[in-house]
Amino acid sequence: MQTDFQNILNGIKPLFDDGKSREQLLAGICATLKEKVYHYDWIGFYLLDESTNQLVLGPSVGKPTEHTHIPVGKGVCGQVAESGLTKVVQDVSEENNYIACSIDVQSEIVVPVMKNGKFVAEIDIDSHSAGPFTEEDEQFLGAICEMVAGRF
Ligand code: SME
């Protein structure tokens, strides 16, 4: 299925301007992505808690997850918190450092939110499709995370 990422991005931009709290903004982004992108099945933001060196789940949509706290370094999410680099896993059965949330998940992409060169949060997307992510997903989510960084 062809996704019009530019159009979706244009729809997300106004969410930044209407006086929402950061929590509401992140929740709005999650809801928009779930509605508009067919291959995004679970979407959530994890925020770094520096005092415990853990990721703490913020707004999310999709099936509730028990993984509300993830140590830095653990799983795909924890690896991105450590490296500050986007990670694409096209087939989760091939990933050794992976925390399974649901047997329906086949692939995952995690993109960091960097503030002044420091990791502060990330967006995590699980997909029930096999190998669905392209360069376009990375650029699209990267653009969202850059905008989100301004709210940290
Ligand atoms: N699969 C993630 C854990 C978070 S859930 O996808 C919501 C990981 O390996 O870090």
Side-chain angles (χ1 to χ4, degrees):
M1 177 167 300
Q2 193 67 29
T3 307
D4 187 347
F5 285 113
Q6 190 55 52
N7 190 37
I8 301 168
L9 201 54
N10 290 341
I12 284 174
K13 280 178 188 159
L15 298 177
F16 284 82
D17 300 327
D18 57 9
K20 286 183 165 59
S21 69
R22 185 172 74 195
E23 187 91 357
Q24 290 169 329
L25 170 68
L26 298 183
I29 293 171
C30 289
T32 304
L33 294 183
K34 174 89 173 117
E35 187 196 326
K36 305 278 187 196
V37 187
Y38 174 79
H39 60 288
Y40 293 0
D41 292 292
W42 185 95
I43 301 125
F45 283 91
Y46 282 97
L47 281 60
L48 179 65
D49 177 356
E50 277 189 291
S51 66
T52 59
N53 210 31
Q54 285 194 112
L55 294 165
V56 180
L57 183 62
S60 69
V61 293
K63 262 201 234 161
T65 176
E66 61 189 32
H67 300 119
T68 56
H69 292 72
I70 299 177
V72 169
K74 198 156 177 259
V76 180
C77 291
Q79 291 179 65
V80 171
E82 204 160 50
S83 68
L85 299 171
T86 292
K87 189 160 170 79
V88 181
V89 180
Q90 300 284 19
D91 177 356
V92 294
S93 71
E94 301 272 315
E95 173 64 40
N96 293 327
N97 190 358
Y98 171 67
I99 306 165
C101 274
S102 143
I103 51 160
D104 298 326
V105 175
Q106 295 207 43
S107 52
E108 177 163 8
I109 182 170
V110 181
V111 180
V113 178
M114 305 296 286
K115 173 95 182 179
N116 302 325
K118 258 189 72 198
F119 176 90
V120 290
E122 64 191 21
I123 188 165
D124 175 22
I125 295 172
D126 287 343
S127 178
H128 299 172
S129 306
F133 302 116
T134 69
E135 187 72 24
E136 271 201 287
D137 291 270
E138 290 189 47
Q139 282 169 10
F140 169 65
L141 296 170
I144 292 173
C145 286
E146 253 178 53
M147 294 192 287
V148 163
R151 300 297 288 267
F152 280 79

Coordinates of all heavy atoms in Angstrom, one line a residue, residues 42 46 57 65 67 70 74-79 95 97-101 105 108 110 122 124-126, ligand 1:
W42 N 1.3 -0.7 16.3 CA 1.4 -0.2 17.6 C 2.4 1.0 17.6 O 3.5 0.8 17.0 CB 2.0 -1.3 18.6 CG 2.0 -0.9 20.0 CD1 1.0 -1.1 20.9 CD2 3.1 -0.2 20.7 NE1 1.4 -0.6 22.2 CE2 2.7 0.0 22.0 CE3 4.3 0.3 20.3 CZ2 3.4 0.7 23.0 CZ3 5.1 1.0 21.2 CH2 4.7 1.1 22.6
Y46 N 8.7 6.4 24.1 CA 9.4 6.1 25.4 C 10.2 7.3 25.7 O 11.0 7.8 24.8 CB 10.3 4.8 25.2 CG 9.5 3.5 25.3 CD1 9.1 2.9 24.1 CD2 9.2 2.9 26.5 CE1 8.4 1.6 24.2 CE2 8.5 1.7 26.6 CZ 8.1 1.1 25.4 OH 7.4 -0.1 25.5
L57 N 7.4 4.4 29.3 CA 6.4 4.5 28.3 C 5.6 5.8 28.5 O 5.0 6.0 29.6 CB 5.5 3.3 28.2 CG 4.4 3.2 27.1 CD1 5.1 3.2 25.7 CD2 3.6 2.0 27.3
T65 N 0.8 -2.6 26.4 CA 2.0 -3.4 26.6 C 2.3 -3.5 28.0 O 2.1 -2.5 28.7 CB 3.1 -2.9 25.7 OG1 4.3 -3.7 26.0 CG2 3.4 -1.4 26.0
H67 N 5.4 -3.7 28.8 CA 6.8 -3.1 28.9 C 6.7 -1.6 29.0 O 7.0 -0.9 28.1 CB 7.5 -3.6 27.6 CG 7.6 -5.1 27.5 ND1 7.1 -5.8 26.4 CD2 8.1 -6.0 28.4 CE1 7.3 -7.1 26.6 NE2 7.9 -7.2 27.8
I70 N 11.8 0.1 30.4 CA 12.8 -0.7 29.6 C 14.2 -0.1 30.0 O 14.5 1.0 29.7 CB 12.6 -0.7 28.1 CG1 11.2 -1.3 27.8 CG2 13.7 -1.4 27.4 CD1 10.9 -1.2 26.3
K74 N 18.6 -2.6 26.7 CA 17.8 -3.8 26.5 C 16.8 -3.7 25.4 O 16.1 -2.6 25.3 CB 17.1 -4.1 27.8 CG 16.6 -5.5 27.9 CD 16.4 -6.0 29.3 CE 15.9 -7.4 29.2 NZ 14.4 -7.5 29.5
G75 N 16.6 -4.7 24.6 CA 15.7 -4.7 23.5 C 16.0 -3.7 22.4 O 17.1 -3.1 22.5
V76 N 15.2 -3.6 21.4 CA 15.4 -2.7 20.3 C 15.4 -1.3 20.8 O 16.2 -0.4 20.5 CB 14.4 -2.9 19.2 CG1 14.6 -2.0 18.0 CG2 14.5 -4.4 18.7
C77 N 14.4 -1.0 21.7 CA 14.2 0.3 22.3 C 15.4 0.7 23.1 O 15.9 1.9 22.9 CB 13.0 0.3 23.2 SG 11.5 0.2 22.2
G78 N 15.9 -0.2 23.9 CA 17.1 0.1 24.7 C 18.3 0.4 23.9 O 19.2 1.2 24.3
Q79 N 18.5 -0.4 22.8 CA 19.6 -0.2 22.0 C 19.7 1.2 21.4 O 20.7 1.8 21.2 CB 19.6 -1.2 20.8 CG 19.9 -2.7 21.3 CD 19.8 -3.6 20.1 OE1 20.6 -3.5 19.2 NE2 18.8 -4.5 20.0
E95 N 16.3 -10.9 15.4 CA 16.9 -10.0 16.3 C 17.2 -10.6 17.7 O 16.2 -11.1 18.3 CB 16.1 -8.7 16.4 CG 16.5 -7.7 17.5 CD 17.9 -7.1 17.2 OE1 18.1 -6.7 16.0 OE2 18.6 -6.9 18.2
N97 N 18.6 -9.2 20.5 CA 18.3 -8.3 21.6 C 16.9 -7.7 21.4 O 16.8 -6.5 20.9 CB 19.4 -7.3 21.8 CG 19.2 -6.5 23.0 OD1 18.3 -6.7 23.8 ND2 20.2 -5.5 23.3
Y98 N 15.9 -8.5 21.6 CA 14.5 -8.1 21.3 C 13.6 -8.4 22.4 O 13.7 -9.5 23.0 CB 14.1 -8.8 20.0 CG 12.6 -8.6 19.7 CD1 12.1 -7.4 19.3 CD2 11.7 -9.7 19.7 CE1 10.8 -7.2 19.0 CE2 10.4 -9.6 19.4 CZ 9.9 -8.3 19.0 OH 8.6 -8.2 18.7
I99 N 12.7 -7.5 22.8 CA 11.7 -7.8 23.8 C 10.3 -8.0 23.1 O 9.8 -7.0 22.5 CB 11.5 -6.6 24.8 CG1 12.9 -6.3 25.4 CG2 10.5 -6.9 25.9 CD1 12.9 -4.9 26.1
A100 N 9.8 -9.2 23.1 CA 8.5 -9.4 22.4 C 7.3 -8.8 23.2 O 7.2 -9.0 24.4 CB 8.3 -10.9 22.2
C101 N 6.5 -8.1 22.4 CA 5.3 -7.5 23.0 C 4.0 -8.4 22.7 O 3.1 -8.5 23.4 CB 5.1 -6.1 22.6 SG 6.0 -4.9 23.6
V105 N 3.5 -9.3 16.1 CA 4.5 -8.3 15.6 C 5.5 -9.0 14.8 O 6.1 -10.0 15.2 CB 5.2 -7.6 16.8 CG1 6.3 -6.7 16.2 CG2 4.2 -6.7 17.6
E108 N 9.8 -4.0 13.4 CA 9.8 -2.8 14.3 C 10.8 -1.8 13.8 O 11.8 -2.1 13.2 CB 10.2 -3.3 15.7 CG 10.4 -2.3 16.7 CD 10.4 -2.8 18.2 OE1 10.5 -4.1 18.3 OE2 10.3 -2.1 19.1
V110 N 12.5 1.9 15.4 CA 12.6 2.9 16.5 C 13.5 4.0 16.1 O 14.6 3.8 15.6 CB 13.2 2.2 17.8 CG1 13.3 3.1 18.9 CG2 12.4 0.9 18.2
E122 N 12.1 8.5 22.3 CA 12.1 7.8 21.0 C 10.7 7.4 20.6 O 9.8 7.3 21.5 CB 13.0 6.5 21.1 CG 12.4 5.4 22.0 CD 13.4 4.3 22.3 OE1 14.6 4.4 22.1 OE2 12.9 3.2 22.7
D124 N 8.5 4.4 18.9 CA 8.7 3.0 18.7 C 7.4 2.5 17.9 O 6.3 2.8 18.3 CB 8.7 2.2 20.0 CG 8.7 0.7 19.8 OD1 9.1 0.2 18.7 OD2 8.4 0.0 20.8
I125 N 7.6 1.8 16.8 CA 6.5 1.4 15.9 C 6.7 -0.1 15.7 O 7.7 -0.6 15.2 CB 6.4 2.2 14.6 CG1 6.1 3.6 15.0 CG2 5.4 1.5 13.7 CD1 6.1 4.6 13.8
D126 N 5.6 -0.9 16.0 CA 5.6 -2.3 15.7 C 4.6 -2.5 14.5 O 3.6 -1.8 14.4 CB 5.0 -3.1 16.9 CG 5.9 -3.2 18.1 OD1 7.1 -2.9 17.9 OD2 5.4 -3.5 19.2
Ligands
SME1 N1 10.0 -4.6 21.1 C1 10.5 -3.6 21.9 C2 9.8 -3.5 23.2 C3 8.7 -2.5 23.3 S1 7.3 -3.1 22.6 O1 7.5 -3.2 21.1 C4 6.0 -2.1 22.8 C5 12.0 -3.8 22.1 O2 12.5 -4.9 21.7 O3 12.6 -3.0 22.7

